Amino acid sequence: MGSVDKDGVQIPVLMKNIVLLVLDAASAAHCSCYGYDRQTTPNLDRIASQGTLYENAIANSLWTLPAHASLATGEYLHEHRKLDWDATIDNKLVRELRDAGYRTVGLPAIGHGFEQPFDKYSIDPFAGRERLVSGPSLYDDFIEVHNRLAKSSAYRRWSGYIKQALTTHDPRSHINGAYKFYNRKIRDKKLLRWKDFGTNKRTNKIAEKVIESNDPIFVFSNLVETHFPYKPVRYAQEFLPDDTTRDELRWAIDASFLDGTLCSEGFTDRQEEILTALYDAEIKYVDECIGKLYNKLSDSGVLEETVLIITADHGDTIGGGGVYGHRGEMHPEITEIPMIAHYPDSKNKNINKYVEFKDLYEHIVSISNGNIERLSGSTYGITEYYGLDTQHVNLFANRKL
């Protein structure tokens, strides 16, 4: 890579480390650096004040797999057509980085082919938390049935569950399904004593990988703490109403998982207040872990050789426009995501134009070629959703910036 001098000799590119953190289901509307009235992201605020805040970042998908396919290819959903969990992602981004000479490390919670080009990749870092053995989970299959038959009668839904169980022959799926049911219904009811889903350990590992690497390194991580169900390690009591009862917290665990997946309606104002408090606490805990990572890179002197990008694949909403979760309907709290970056020049500069999640593909490839320029943005951003029963396309355009 690099340009050629007047004698035809290759001029090497000064390659920077690249760290990409994708928060799962984190809405810009709940980040204080985007104007939220709660101090949920003091560390992201600090990083943004020293780097770049993309003020109008748009998710291309309402859920994870199509979003990551857009990241891996730079394409919209209607171009890559990776629209369900059976899809296999062609990760052109990581292949480009490997060809450029980067060591590539992935520490996410998504497989589906996304992992294949990485030099080192952890597909299922939560085995033991969500699964007893590596493999599928019948519990997850039940959620897909629940989504598909959401508007059907209870009889049809239960028939669907039974049919799914009887036609699933992989014993690993039944073992993992039973274990996940135990987690959701019994172990996770130890209120306000919930365990980290891996974010603290993972951000520590990222710092270690970047600091110890002798070669330019690309590290990708999907941080799932901010995804439902909302079970924050810390900060819940900072945001919860003082009179929150144990029964209300028990309800919130189930509601944030099943109703969030379904995008159902009908929560009371009090219930929305409790769910919002738990969601905000999740975001603040992830912010704490990112702050520690940032400090470690800074203290080691590696930060100024590193591009750090923090974003989300999509957001979440708790009652916005009668919508819950992030699948089923369009809402700005789902489509508008945080995007914050530290670049080695350390100049503070906010970008007011629209940028899209898929833009990170070309942006990161450009950085690997030595072009440390910020995304310039455009006048619109597009979110597509091929939903439970119909296609929705949301075009953010002609809005006053």
Side-chain angles (χ1 to χ4, degrees):
M1 305 299 295
S3 57
V4 177
D5 68 14
K6 62 182 181 179
D7 297 319
V9 177
Q10 193 80 6
I11 301 173
V13 168
L14 184 59
M15 298 165 67
K16 301 296 184 181
N17 301 314
I18 305 169
V19 176
L20 174 60
L21 305 179
V22 177
L23 282 60
D24 200 335
S27 174
H30 286 258
C31 297
S32 44
C33 51
Y34 283 85
Y36 192 42
D37 58 4
R38 284 177 169 169
Q39 287 298 307
T40 51
T41 55
N43 290 289
L44 293 187
D45 299 356
R46 172 168 58 103
I47 296 169
S49 70
Q50 298 170 359
T52 298
L53 176 75
Y54 292 97
E55 297 177 357
N56 293 284
I58 300 298
N60 296 116
S61 169
L62 301 191
W63 63 289
T64 297
L65 189 142
H68 282 74
S70 292
L71 170 66
T73 61
E75 297 174 344
Y76 288 113
L77 275 65
H78 70 270
E79 295 172 318
H80 62 63
R81 307 295 298 177
K82 309 301 182 183
L83 305 177
D84 59 60
W85 284 117
D86 295 328
T88 299
I89 298 173
D90 177 22
N91 198 336
K92 297 192 293 185
L93 172 62
V94 173
R95 287 205 307 274
E96 291 260 16
L97 294 173
R98 288 189 63 180
D99 290 345
Y102 276 79
R103 180 183 172 216
T104 57
V105 177
L107 299 170
I110 180 174
H112 303 276
F114 189 86
E115 77 282 0
Q116 290 178 0
F118 280 91
D119 295 310
K120 183 176 177 59
Y121 192 99
S122 175
I123 298 177
D124 189 13
F126 307 120
R129 172 62 178 175
E130 295 288 291
R131 291 172 170 80
L132 277 177
V133 295
S134 180
S137 171
L138 185 59
Y139 192 101
D140 295 340
D141 294 338
F142 281 175
I143 294 300
E144 292 301 315
V145 172
H146 185 71
N147 286 342
R148 189 171 67 250
L149 301 178
K151 299 179 181 179
S152 302
S153 66
Y155 174 79
R156 283 201 64 195
R157 287 199 301 274
W158 279 102
S159 297
Y161 301 148
I162 294 169
K163 180 180 178 181
Q164 184 67 48
L166 293 176
T167 56
T168 299
H169 303 297
D170 189 335
R172 298 175 302 169
S173 185
H174 289 271
I175 291 169
N176 288 331
Y179 182 65
K180 195 166 185 177
F181 182 85
Y182 164 77
N183 281 346
R184 301 294 189 197
K185 297 297 182 182
I186 300 174
R187 191 177 72 176
D188 288 341
K189 296 299 176 70
K190 296 179 180 179
L191 302 177
L192 303 180
R193 293 164 54 194
W194 298 307
K195 295 183 179 179
D196 187 314
F197 261 51
T199 294
N200 185 56
K201 182 177 180 180
R202 191 177 294 172
T203 48
N204 286 337
K205 179 63 71 174
I206 292 169
E208 176 186 310
K209 293 287 185 185
V210 176
I211 292 169
E212 294 180 356
S213 181
N214 293 320
D215 302 311
I217 188 170
F218 170 70
V219 183
F220 167 85
S221 189
N222 183 280
L223 305 178
V224 300
E225 298 280 347
T226 44
H227 194 285
F228 52 67
Y230 307 140
K231 295 174 293 185
V233 176
R234 278 191 283 283
Y235 303 115
Q237 291 170 316
E238 177 179 338
F239 299 127
L240 282 168
D242 293 338
D243 60 346
T244 304
T245 67
R246 297 177 68 84
D247 286 342
E248 286 176 318
L249 285 175
R250 291 189 184 98
W251 168 86
I253 297 167
D254 289 335
S256 68
F257 185 72
L258 289 174
D259 290 298
T261 302
L262 177 60
C263 290
S264 66
E265 300 182 8
F267 294 161
T268 66
D269 290 345
R270 170 74 173 191
Q271 289 170 333
E272 289 182 8
E273 182 181 15
I274 291 170
L275 286 172
T276 299
L278 295 176
Y279 181 56
D280 289 346
E282 294 272 35
I283 290 175
K284 188 162 186 176
Y285 176 68
V286 173
D287 175 82
E288 173 192 310
C289 295
I290 293 173
K292 292 177 181 177
L293 165 63
Y294 185 79
N295 291 341
K296 287 179 180 179
L297 295 179
S298 179
D299 293 345
S300 68
V302 174
L303 185 62
E304 294 315 309
E305 298 299 323
T306 301
V307 174
L308 171 64
I309 302 171
I310 304 150
T311 187
D313 52 355
H314 54 80
D316 231 4
T317 186
I318 302 167
V323 179
Y324 299 86
H326 54 262
R327 293 181 66 179
E329 296 290 341
M330 292 284 185
H331 190 274
E333 290 185 8
I334 308 173
T335 59
E336 296 176 3
I337 56 175
M339 190 178 292
I340 296 148
H342 164 85
Y343 297 97
D345 62 16
S346 298
K347 294 179 181 177
N348 172 248
K349 182 179 181 182
N350 290 1
I351 304 297
N352 187 247
K353 289 187 175 181
Y354 288 103
V355 297
E356 299 175 76
F357 188 65
K358 77 174 187 65
D359 294 342
L360 291 174
Y361 169 81
E362 289 190 3
H363 186 45
I364 291 170
V365 170
S366 179
I367 291 168
S368 74
N369 293 329
N371 182 18
I372 315 294
E373 294 291 334
R374 290 156 177 77
L375 286 166
S376 57
S378 67
T379 58
Y380 66 89
I382 295 175
T383 302
E384 297 173 83
Y385 179 47
Y386 296 75
L388 298 175
D389 51 13
T390 114
Q391 172 190 351
H392 300 275
V393 178
N394 212 10
L395 178 62
F396 288 81
N398 301 319
R399 290 174 52 177
K400 184 177 180 180
L401 292 175

